[in-house]
Amino acid sequence: CGVDLRVPGRSDDVETTISYADIFELLNEVVTKTRFKLIEALGQHIVDQLFDAFPTIQWIKVRVRKPEAPIPVVAGEFAIEIVRDRETA
């Protein structure tokens, strides 16, 4: 997540930044309460939820990996990466 960290960097005050624990709680809820057919949809939903919950986030990069994709010719995983800013979300 892209956030202007000048204030928390100078103040050393956790109240001036975004808590990693809060981000984790949101992401944990997203991935455990909603099922998606596409990893692209999951990635976009994560972006939308983070922008809604944390107004100071200016840009987000999300990578979603699907290990053991159900395609016989692919060994390993499939992955997508979404990069959005508030204007292109």
Side-chain angles (χ1 to χ4, degrees):
C1 299
V3 178
D4 184 345
L5 298 175
R6 287 176 286 188
V7 171
R10 290 182 179 129
S11 69
D12 196 27
D13 181 359
V14 71
E15 296 299 319
T16 63
T17 193
I18 298 172
S19 165
Y20 299 132
D22 291 345
I23 291 174
F24 173 79
E25 282 183 37
L26 183 142
L27 295 177
N28 188 49
E29 186 172 320
V30 166
V31 299
T32 59
K33 294 201 176 189
T34 308
R35 293 191 51 87
F36 296 90
K37 295 176 191 170
L38 301 173
I39 58 177
E40 295 87 348
L42 171 59
Q44 185 63 49
H45 189 70
I46 289 170
V47 166
D48 294 340
Q49 294 300 308
L50 286 169
F51 276 144
D52 287 347
F54 304 104
T56 58
I57 294 176
Q58 296 304 306
W59 60 266
I60 298 171
K61 179 195 238 179
V62 173
R63 180 176 300 151
V64 180
R65 297 181 299 178
K66 185 173 187 174
E68 301 176 19
I71 298 176
V73 296
V74 175
E77 66 184 23
F78 273 97
I80 59 103
E81 188 170 278
I82 295 175
V83 179
R84 300 278 192 272
D85 61 38
R86 285 199 173 270
E87 296 175 13
T88 62

